[in-house]
Amino acid sequence: MEILLKPSLPRNTLSLKSQSHLLRSNSHLRTLPFTISCKLRTSQDGNISKKIMLSEVAPPPLSENDSPNREAPAKPPRRRGGAVGLLQRFPRRVLTVLSNLRLAIGEMFTIAALMALGTFIEQGEPLDFYVQKYPEDNPVLGFFTWKWIQTLGFDHMFSSPVFLGMLILLATSLMACTYTTQIPIVKVARRWTFLSSSETIRKQEVSDSLPRASVNDLGVILMGAGYEVFVKGPALYAFKGLAGRFAPIGVHFAMLLIMAGGTLSAAGSFKGVVTVPQGLNFVVGDVLGPSGFLSKPTEAFNTEVHVNKFYMDYYDSGEVSQFHTDLSLYDIDGKEVLRKTISVNDPLRYGGITIYQTDWSISALQVLKDGEGPFNLAMAPLQLNGGDKKLYGTFLPVDDPDSSQVKGISMLARDLQSVVLYDQEGKFAGVRRPNSKLPIEIDGKKIEVVDAIGSSGLDLKTDPGVPVVYAGFGALMLTTCISLLSHSQIWALQDGTTVFIGGKTNRAKAEFSSEVNRLLDRVPEIVETSQEGIIQ
């Protein structure tokens, strides 16, 4: 064994602290540094030379906690709060199942099928309607009856537990996929390093070399093409389109917004339908009814709506083309807060409440009989055989002392333009326009049609989920476009006058190869002009 005294630790040696050689002199300690060189023989390597260096610094004393026989206490795992922490504590196997692509596709197809079924089955009808439409003695497809509809809640499909449960399951799958797949992909994409080996660069999807070029010139060309460029010595790294890696997370978030908005619309809205004659009022809260457990009324429900006027527009053929309602809104103190004339596709909005013009009818006729009146005769809708034509009728009794039966003059109207009159025997007597001031004599009675009073059919609705759904669709369109961006990366290494270039991308690989070739063609060549220097 050879002992060599060394003043310091040499490089690439194994350092070991020891107190085995101590010299006592005048009650103080002194350490002796030395190096032990030895040879180890193995069957594979033959003679292996090793050096063990003993430090001249004494090791620190062992404390009770540092005892070799005592195990170090394990640090408690760090827990994060919020949704991320909940996902981290969720069983990994469950997350893997939920994030399965086939499961998510199946969930979306199931939701689409339920939505289609919701358009086929009439929504919001009374129980008697479904009993008659889907009877047990003649079930649809041999098994589907009204009991299925009532049990599964398909009469209010979009707020039924089945539909909302599928939405929750799809939302859970999206969050699991984001956590287990998309976020790790983004983390990996954000990590980058310079490549110091030309062999590694040549293994990239696209690779090339420039025999007489400068990596700095390449960096300038890449910056002009929209790349973020980093240079460290002879190495270069450049990338662009990193936003495309974040886009799938944005797409998932947008889909969650759409589903949340749809759920809020289905379970948190109010709906109501009312037909109001011209000149009458109604209170919004008396018409609106909740659609789910999230429905909460607001102060706007105390608003009173007055129908000032109802009128219709007509085609040249006489058919109704459009109908309008002049509405005034009054607050709880009786002050008019808004007035607007609405029509089909032009609703009124106030305090989160939307009033749509959807229908019309004729509520009454005002007539004069022998100069007396006017008399308000209520109009009733008449059932027609097929078609969507409307017809309303009323009856003006006429005293006949010679008859025990009630007789009178019949009046029919298709719209507010004209009224057809028939005598007591049911024979056609004539046609008069309301407010024409032209009386007609029927069975010895002078009848004048003063006015036809229309009724406005209004749909009232509050839908707090609409802004959320619109925001979700806007985000979905934006993130979908961003996801089309390619995340492209380029590495380069200067080796003498040669630059090795390699790169890869996650999509549009053929276009990326063409782009790299075009960029390399623009890199200037270094031309040797003398033996002492190179001028670019």
Side-chain angles (χ1 to χ4, degrees):
M1 179 179 292
E2 180 185 2
I3 300 178
L4 302 176
L5 297 181
K6 299 279 186 178
S8 60
L9 288 171
R11 255 182 108 178
N12 301 328
T13 60
L14 177 65
S15 176
L16 177 67
K17 295 180 181 180
S18 175
Q19 288 179 312
S20 54
H21 296 277
L22 301 176
L23 297 178
R24 292 184 178 272
S25 177
N26 298 328
S27 69
H28 67 274
L29 299 175
R30 188 176 58 180
T31 60
L32 176 63
F34 62 93
T35 301
I36 300 175
S37 297
C38 59
K39 293 184 178 180
L40 303 177
R41 180 178 298 275
T42 65
S43 59
Q44 295 179 354
D45 302 325
N47 294 332
I48 303 176
S49 177
K50 298 289 183 180
K51 288 186 178 181
I52 303 176
M53 174 61 66
L54 300 183
S55 171
E56 59 184 7
V57 180
L62 293 175
S63 63
E64 293 181 1
N65 294 332
D66 295 332
S67 175
N69 299 325
R70 180 183 178 90
E71 294 183 359
K75 293 183 179 180
R78 183 180 178 184
R79 292 189 176 183
R80 296 184 181 180
V84 176
L86 180 62
L87 286 174
Q88 286 181 337
R89 294 191 293 271
F90 215 56
R92 192 72 183 182
R93 182 175 297 179
V94 176
L95 289 177
T96 303
V97 172
L98 289 175
S99 60
N100 185 273
L101 179 60
R102 293 182 179 179
L103 176 63
I105 293 175
E107 293 165 355
M108 288 189 286
F109 271 107
T110 303
I111 292 174
L114 291 175
M115 294 175 66
L117 188 60
T119 60
F120 174 76
I121 300 175
E122 295 81 358
Q123 301 291 296
E125 299 293 340
L127 178 60
D128 293 340
F129 173 85
Y130 298 106
V131 173
Q132 296 178 3
K133 188 74 178 291
Y134 305 95
E136 292 185 86
D137 56 354
N138 186 22
V140 179
L141 300 178
F143 71 95
F144 193 78
T145 65
W146 64 271
K147 289 186 176 181
W148 284 86
I149 297 176
Q150 291 296 312
T151 303
L152 299 176
F154 286 174
D155 56 334
H156 50 279
M157 173 66 75
F158 303 104
S159 60
S160 65
V162 176
F163 187 80
L164 295 180
M166 289 305 304
L167 287 182
I168 294 174
L169 183 59
L170 178 58
T172 306
S173 295
L174 287 175
M175 289 188 291
C177 178
T178 301
Y179 178 75
T180 60
T181 304
Q182 300 302 331
I183 292 180
I185 288 177
V186 170
K187 289 182 178 180
V188 171
R190 293 183 63 185
R191 298 194 195 112
W192 56 271
T193 56
F194 295 100
L195 299 183
S196 58
S197 170
S198 59
E199 293 296 329
T200 305
I201 293 178
R202 289 195 187 100
K203 294 179 181 179
Q204 300 301 319
E205 296 175 356
V206 177
S207 63
D208 203 344
S209 63
L210 300 176
R212 291 185 296 273
S214 171
V215 72
N216 294 324
D217 294 336
L218 175 61
V220 174
I221 299 298
L222 293 175
M223 289 178 62
Y227 282 82
E228 294 286 338
V229 179
F230 303 89
V231 178
K232 182 179 180 181
L236 176 145
Y237 173 77
F239 74 91
K240 71 175 181 179
L242 184 59
R245 291 292 192 181
F246 287 90
I249 300 177
V251 170
H252 288 181
F253 177 73
M255 294 179 66
L256 291 174
L257 276 182
I258 294 172
M259 289 187 290
T263 303
L264 187 59
S265 296
S269 61
F270 287 84
K271 296 179 181 180
V273 179
V274 62
T275 301
V276 188
Q278 177 179 297
L280 297 185
N281 306 341
F282 68 92
V283 178
V284 170
D286 295 340
V287 175
L288 291 175
S291 62
F293 62 94
L294 296 178
S295 301
K296 302 296 180 183
T298 63
E299 293 183 0
F301 281 44
N302 297 321
T303 304
E304 183 178 344
V305 181
H306 179 73
V307 179
N308 299 312
K309 185 179 180 181
F310 175 77
Y311 60 97
M312 294 188 289
D313 298 332
Y314 303 91
Y315 293 111
D316 294 338
S317 61
E319 299 291 333
V320 177
S321 64
Q322 181 65 283
F323 35 99
H324 313 264
T325 305
D326 181 11
L327 298 177
S328 291
L329 273 60
Y330 297 89
D331 60 15
I332 196 171
D333 298 324
K335 179 182 177 181
E336 186 180 60
V337 293
L338 181 64
R339 182 169 183 172
K340 180 181 178 180
T341 299
I342 67 173
S343 58
V344 178
N345 298 326
D346 184 19
L348 180 149
R349 292 181 173 87
Y350 174 75
I353 300 171
T354 306
I355 303 178
Y356 298 92
Q357 179 76 75
T358 57
D359 202 359
W360 64 273
S361 65
I362 302 176
S363 62
L365 281 180
Q366 286 186 345
V367 299
L368 295 175
K369 184 178 72 170
D370 294 331
E372 297 179 358
F375 300 99
N376 289 329
L377 305 178
M379 298 285 283
L382 302 179
Q383 187 71 33
L384 298 178
N385 295 326
D388 56 354
K389 301 289 186 179
K390 291 187 176 184
L391 182 64
Y392 298 86
T394 189
F395 182 78
L396 177 63
V398 176
D399 295 333
D400 187 357
D402 298 332
S403 175
S404 60
Q405 297 180 352
V406 178
K407 293 185 178 182
I409 300 171
S410 300
M411 304 178 190
L412 301 178
R414 291 177 50 201
D415 49 45
L416 302 180
Q417 292 185 102
S418 59
V419 178
V420 182
L421 297 95
Y422 297 86
D423 61 14
Q424 298 182 47
E425 303 297 330
K427 296 179 180 181
F428 174 74
V431 179
R432 287 294 183 269
R433 286 183 176 273
N435 203 26
S436 64
K437 298 182 180 180
L438 295 176
I440 181 174
E441 186 170 344
I442 304 175
D443 297 331
K445 305 292 183 180
K446 287 186 177 181
I447 306 299
E448 180 182 340
V449 180
V450 178
D451 193 11
I453 302 175
S455 294
S456 178
L458 305 174
D459 274 17
L460 284 73
K461 183 178 180 181
T462 66
D463 195 343
V466 169
V468 181
V469 172
Y470 283 173
F473 273 109
L476 182 62
M477 291 186 291
L478 179 61
T479 52
T480 301
C481 293
I482 295 176
S483 65
L484 299 178
L485 297 176
S486 300
H487 179 222
S488 304
Q489 302 177 85
I490 294 178
W491 291 269
L493 181 65
Q494 183 88 52
D495 187 2
T497 60
T498 301
V499 177
F500 296 93
I501 303 99
K504 65 178 182 179
T505 186
N506 65 326
R507 63 177 74 246
K509 299 183 182 296
E511 289 79 0
F512 175 69
S513 177
S514 300
E515 180 190 21
V516 171
N517 291 331
R518 289 195 303 269
L519 294 175
L520 296 184
D521 291 339
R522 295 168 54 188
V523 178
E525 182 181 2
I526 298 177
V527 180
E528 187 175 313
T529 57
S530 65
Q531 294 182 353
E532 297 180 355
I534 298 176
I535 299 177
Q536 186 175 341

